[in-house]
Amino acid sequence: MADVTDLVAEAAALDAADPLAHKRNEFDLDASVAYFDGNSLGAPPKHVAERVAAVVREQWGGRLIRSWSEGWWEAPVRVGERIAPLVGAAPGQLVVADSTSVNLFKALVAATRIDPGRDEILVDADTFPTDGYIADEVARLTGHTVRRVVAEDMPDEVSERTAVALINHVDYISGRAHDMAALTRALHRAGALVLWDLCHSVGALPVELDATGVDLAVGCTYKFLNGGPGAPAFLYVATKWLDRFEQPLAGWAGDRDPFAMRGTYEAHAGIARGRAGTSDILSLLALDAALDVWDDVDRGQLRKKGLALGDFFFRCADELLDGATIATPRGADRGHQISVVDADAAKTMAALIERGVIGDFRPPDVLRFGLAPLYTTYGEVLRAVTTLRDVRA
């Protein structure tokens, strides 16, 4: 068993050699707090507050309604183009608008319309609850049947009845990452479309939507992308499906000529057809500012550090947490969170937070520690594990 002093030295050496260490200085973080909840709400980049204040003072306050024609109206597609490289998407396939739940609804209904002869929706059995809720309502409205299947079993369960399969890229409880390329290929062989939920992977794992042939995807921007509480989500529609993407929320913002004010909706020819109503400009432009921190980030380095942070967490836990059960896979098939099983998780996490280690818990018994490579340090990982040891003693 390693001495804590050895782990302190190891953490210091890892932090000193970290090629992403400088990125932490771009975030507004309390030095007394070790923050491990970026997989629920990312930390704010320092410049965002000033940028949003400028939007309020100079655009809304100075230019007033003229700002709609000076960049506001086009912002959902423009900001989408900034996220596109982070998910391996070529231009013209990603728009930022509405919430993840709303975008899931749009995408699922559109998928059922692409091949109306298929009457089944497969849903990842371990999905984040809202995905299942939305799928159930889509099925009720469209006459489809929802079948919940463990993601890895979908290649054996898909059939000629399956219109679309909805899968979470990273499981929100365990942190396990599913094989996007393999599952997409297998489902395509049966003629089904695939819709991926990227909420727990975008800004953490390298995602290659175009290269893996993904049909549709959604994701939030307030977790690892640090867009702020309630920041708008994004919707990806592969180019091959754009002209057949008939979403159910035919709002004016998705019309081909919104200001013509015609009596009949005609969908925009491009990805803007994924929009529905008027955008939340303050949140959208806060996200736009937050995305600046990604301009010089190498996604390979990001993934390498995320895995290394997890490996160090495992090492510290093995040395310091006697008999702890960790639900997260130890291989590369994981996202950037570590999930520790704890019989009294709610009470334990409250005690951790009281001591300045902020993670979260998921009922009934999982402590989650999000590892955000842009600002999480190895020293903080050691602090989390030593504090958890002390709390559980």
Side-chain angles (χ1 to χ4, degrees), residues 210-268:
D210 288 353
T212 52
V214 168
D215 303 294
L216 304 161
V218 299
C220 66
T221 64
Y222 51 77
K223 299 183 190 297
F224 289 111
L225 291 185
N226 313 299
F234 63 84
L235 168 69
Y236 165 90
V237 181
T239 299
K240 64 181 177 181
W241 298 123
L242 267 177
D243 62 348
R244 296 177 62 187
F245 185 81
E246 298 178 8
Q247 64 123 322
L249 299 179
W252 78 306
D255 191 86
R256 69 173 179 82
D257 188 3
F259 297 97
M261 304 297 177
R262 297 183 312 277
T264 303
Y265 175 84
E266 295 180 32
H268 192 283

Side-chain angles (χ1 to χ4, degrees), residues 106-291:
K106 297 174 191 173
L108 281 173
V109 172
T112 65
R113 291 173 171 177
I114 287 174
D115 192 346
R118 294 171 174 249
D119 65 356
E120 177 184 77
I121 299 170
L122 291 186
V123 175
D124 177 358
D126 298 317
T127 189
F128 189 79
T130 195
D131 295 41
Y133 304 157
I134 296 295
D136 286 342
E137 287 305 307
V138 168
R140 191 165 70 90
L141 291 168
T142 62
H144 284 65
T145 298
V146 169
R147 191 154 57 96
R148 285 166 168 74
V149 177
V150 173
E152 284 70 28
D153 294 340
M154 284 186 178
D156 297 323
E157 296 286 343
V158 66
S159 74
E160 69 280 354
R161 292 184 53 201
T162 308
V164 59
L166 169 59
I167 313 173
N168 283 227
H169 191 195
V170 173
D171 182 85
Y172 79 106
I173 293 290
S174 70
R176 181 176 183 179
H178 299 301
D179 189 331
M180 178 179 288
L183 286 172
T184 299
R185 282 195 304 270
L187 290 160
H188 280 174
R189 283 195 292 269
L193 300 181
V194 189
L195 166 58
W196 286 91
D197 182 331
L198 308 179
C199 285
H200 288 87
S201 58
V202 62
L205 281 66
V207 179
E208 301 293 345
L209 295 179
D210 288 353
T212 52
V214 168
D215 303 294
L216 304 161
V218 299
C220 66
T221 64
Y222 51 77
K223 299 183 190 297
F224 289 111
L225 291 185
N226 313 299
F234 63 84
L235 168 69
Y236 165 90
V237 181
T239 299
K240 64 181 177 181
W241 298 123
L242 267 177
D243 62 348
R244 296 177 62 187
F245 185 81
E246 298 178 8
Q247 64 123 322
L249 299 179
W252 78 306
D255 191 86
R256 69 173 179 82
D257 188 3
F259 297 97
M261 304 297 177
R262 297 183 312 277
T264 303
Y265 175 84
E266 295 180 32
H268 192 283
I271 189 60
R273 66 172 51 202
R275 298 174 63 177
T278 305
S279 299
D280 183 339
I281 291 298
L282 295 182
S283 288
L284 182 59
L285 296 186
L287 167 62
D288 189 20
L291 290 171

Side-chain angles (χ1 to χ4, degrees), residues 45 80 103 126 262 268 300 338 371 376 380:
N103 286 333
D126 298 317
R262 297 183 312 277
H268 192 283
I338 303 297
L371 308 173
T376 302
E380 288 174 326

Side-chain angles (χ1 to χ4, degrees), residues 2-10:
D3 186 274
V4 174
T5 304
D6 295 334
L7 292 172
V8 170
E10 186 175 343

Side-chain angles (χ1 to χ4, degrees), residues 11-168:
L14 288 167
D15 281 326
D18 176 14
L20 293 176
H22 65 286
K23 298 301 295 185
R24 182 182 173 90
N25 295 328
E26 298 180 30
F27 289 86
D28 191 3
L29 287 161
D30 182 346
S32 68
V33 168
Y35 188 60
F36 292 95
D37 212 4
N39 54 329
S40 287
L41 177 64
K46 289 178 179 177
H47 66 280
V48 171
E50 183 178 351
R51 190 83 62 83
V52 172
V55 170
V56 173
R57 289 193 307 265
E58 299 165 17
Q59 296 180 26
W60 180 17
R63 300 300 295 165
L64 295 168
I65 201 167
R66 290 171 289 184
S67 292
W68 278 110
S69 58
E70 296 171 353
W72 284 3
W73 185 261
E74 299 79 14
V77 172
R78 177 176 57 79
V79 178
E81 296 298 329
R82 299 194 69 189
I83 296 174
L86 298 177
V87 294
Q93 301 174 100
L94 198 144
V95 65
V96 177
D98 306 308
S99 68
T100 304
S101 297
V102 171
N103 286 333
L104 276 169
F105 180 75
K106 297 174 191 173
L108 281 173
V109 172
T112 65
R113 291 173 171 177
I114 287 174
D115 192 346
R118 294 171 174 249
D119 65 356
E120 177 184 77
I121 299 170
L122 291 186
V123 175
D124 177 358
D126 298 317
T127 189
F128 189 79
T130 195
D131 295 41
Y133 304 157
I134 296 295
D136 286 342
E137 287 305 307
V138 168
R140 191 165 70 90
L141 291 168
T142 62
H144 284 65
T145 298
V146 169
R147 191 154 57 96
R148 285 166 168 74
V149 177
V150 173
E152 284 70 28
D153 294 340
M154 284 186 178
D156 297 323
E157 296 286 343
V158 66
S159 74
E160 69 280 354
R161 292 184 53 201
T162 308
V164 59
L166 169 59
I167 313 173
N168 283 227

